[in-house]
Amino acid sequence: MGNADRNESDIIFILLGFSDYPELQIPLFLVFLVIYMITVVGNLGMIVVIKINPKLHTPMYLFLSHLSFLDFCYSTIITPKLLQILVVEDRSLSFAPCITQYSFAVICVVTEAFLLAVMAYDRFVAICNPLLYVVVMSQKRCALLLTAVYTWGIISSTIFIYSLLIRSFSAINIINNFLCEYSAIVSVSTSDNCVVETIFFILANFNTFFTLTIVLTSYLFIFVTILKMHSASGRYKAFSTCASHLTGVTIFFGIILFLYCVPSSKSSWFLVRVSTVLYTIVIPMLNPLIYSLRNKDVKETIRNLMELPVRWCIG
């Protein structure tokens, strides 16, 4: 029976989450709650720090503020539902909320992947063509790049969602994960649509490998430029400006590529869930830490903000 014949409100998805490990439900709840709190404070704090410090009003930090915004949104889309299914017995989710969760999650993931590629291009221009940086990375160019990455994220999400909406589902569908994720949703579908799956495969691979190619190409030119520098201090300064981004990119794409390599079998669902935790919950927490700990201007602004209450008390 297809979705056209069955009312969408009658289709229920049951998220198993980590229910096969009942003794870990409360510890996992506490761990994920702490991670979510750190994620919210870290990413919103990063946005505020960049906003109030004029020194950080540059293209690099503009992109970083949008990265923090995406991480905050992504974590907020996923983590509250995960916390809920860890403490309540009712793990069911109707069709519309499940598809909506997946839709917004795709927008965040695809947009972040392309934003990381844009940030790599920004570092390439800054290090390889420093004299042209102000011209190339103008406010207009930055606005166009941001508009492009968000637009493509929405377009990708629309295509992925359409490929799910035309599929058929049973009344009760068991998802062996803690979120509505494409492979898990497709695995419970009663449809057999090779064309739709092929379109998804092509688009997903395009998004991953196109952005990864931009990142790798940018850093190839960056490393060649750094090696040609005669000054050791100049090489260190140039490398330090992109070290945080390189770390974030390595973690982000490393986990995504690992998920590509995990076979779609029941025995691998635990690895899929662990990997999904890493890129949906842990990465959004790590990004503000990675970018703030290695940046003097950000650390200085944070330190000044923390000293404000003390100054007010003394005053």
Side-chain angles (χ1 to χ4, degrees):
M1 182 178 294
N3 292 349
D5 302 317
R6 185 190 302 278
N7 193 315
E8 290 183 355
S9 61
D10 297 331
I11 301 175
I12 300 297
F13 294 97
I14 298 178
L15 305 175
L16 293 183
F18 295 91
S19 58
D20 45 344
Y21 300 95
E23 69 281 1
L24 296 178
Q25 300 294 294
I26 299 302
L28 285 176
F29 174 84
L30 296 175
V31 170
F32 292 145
L33 178 61
V34 171
I35 291 176
Y36 181 60
M37 293 171 63
I38 295 174
T39 301
V40 171
V41 173
N43 284 289
L44 293 183
M46 180 68 74
I47 295 173
V48 171
V49 166
I50 293 173
K51 186 71 175 178
I52 65 175
N53 189 345
K55 291 183 180 179
L56 304 180
H57 294 177
T58 63
M60 181 177 72
Y61 292 106
L62 171 65
F63 298 139
L64 180 56
S65 66
H66 281 270
L67 180 67
S68 293
F69 171 72
L70 288 170
D71 283 336
F72 165 74
C73 292
Y74 192 35
S75 182
T76 301
I77 291 166
I78 303 299
T79 310
K81 185 61 183 179
L82 170 59
L83 294 174
Q84 179 186 345
I85 65 175
L86 282 171
V87 294
V88 300
E89 293 185 4
D90 184 11
R91 298 183 175 90
S92 62
L93 198 63
S94 60
F95 184 83
C98 183
I99 296 300
T100 300
Q101 183 194 55
Y102 175 71
S103 174
F104 284 107
V106 170
I107 292 174
C108 290
V109 171
V110 174
T111 303
E112 179 161 337
F114 277 83
L115 182 61
L116 289 172
V118 169
M119 293 172 73
Y121 173 73
D122 171 75
R123 292 299 83 206
F124 158 74
V125 177
I127 294 174
C128 300
N129 298 284
L131 298 179
L132 297 176
Y133 182 74
V134 177
V135 177
V136 176
M137 301 305 295
S138 62
Q139 287 187 350
K140 183 178 180 180
R141 178 70 61 84
C142 292
L144 288 174
L145 288 171
L146 287 172
T147 301
V149 298
Y150 279 102
T151 301
W152 184 247
I154 294 172
I155 292 174
S156 295
S157 176
T158 302
I159 296 173
F160 290 149
I161 292 302
Y162 175 75
S163 69
L164 292 178
L165 292 177
I166 63 176
R167 302 183 73 91
S168 300
F169 298 92
S170 303
I172 304 296
N173 304 276
I174 308 297
I175 293 183
N176 199 356
N177 211 325
F178 59 85
L179 77 164
C180 292
E181 182 264 332
Y182 190 89
S183 61
I185 298 175
V186 170
S187 68
V188 299
S189 171
T190 57
S191 300
D192 183 16
N193 196 327
C194 294
V195 175
V196 172
E197 292 181 6
T198 301
I199 293 174
F200 169 81
F201 178 80
I202 293 173
L203 184 56
N205 278 277
F206 169 78
N207 288 337
T208 301
F209 292 105
F210 180 75
T211 53
L212 193 55
T213 299
I214 294 176
V215 171
L216 293 177
T217 303
S218 297
Y219 275 105
L220 176 62
F221 282 104
I222 288 172
F223 288 143
V224 170
T225 302
I226 291 176
L227 291 175
K228 290 181 179 179
M229 294 180 178
H230 300 292
S231 170
S233 61
R235 288 196 297 268
Y236 175 79
K237 183 178 180 180
F239 182 77
S240 64
T241 62
C242 55
S244 298
H245 177 257
L246 186 58
T247 302
V249 163
T250 302
I251 296 173
F252 181 85
F253 284 102
I255 293 175
I256 287 181
L257 292 175
F258 173 76
L259 281 174
Y260 268 96
C261 298
V262 175
S264 298
S265 62
K266 291 183 179 179
S267 61
S268 67
W269 279 119
F270 177 77
L271 284 177
V272 171
R273 278 179 288 177
V274 171
S275 302
T276 306
V277 165
L278 291 177
Y279 84 81
T280 60
I281 298 174
V282 177
I283 287 181
M285 176 193 69
L286 290 179
N287 276 339
L289 297 177
I290 292 172
Y291 285 96
S292 62
L293 292 177
R294 298 185 61 89
N295 190 288
K296 293 181 180 179
D297 291 328
V298 173
K299 288 192 291 186
E300 180 183 349
T301 306
I302 294 175
R303 184 165 56 249
N304 291 336
L305 287 174
M306 295 177 66
E307 290 175 356
L308 280 178
V310 178
R311 294 174 184 173
W312 287 339
C313 292
I314 295 176

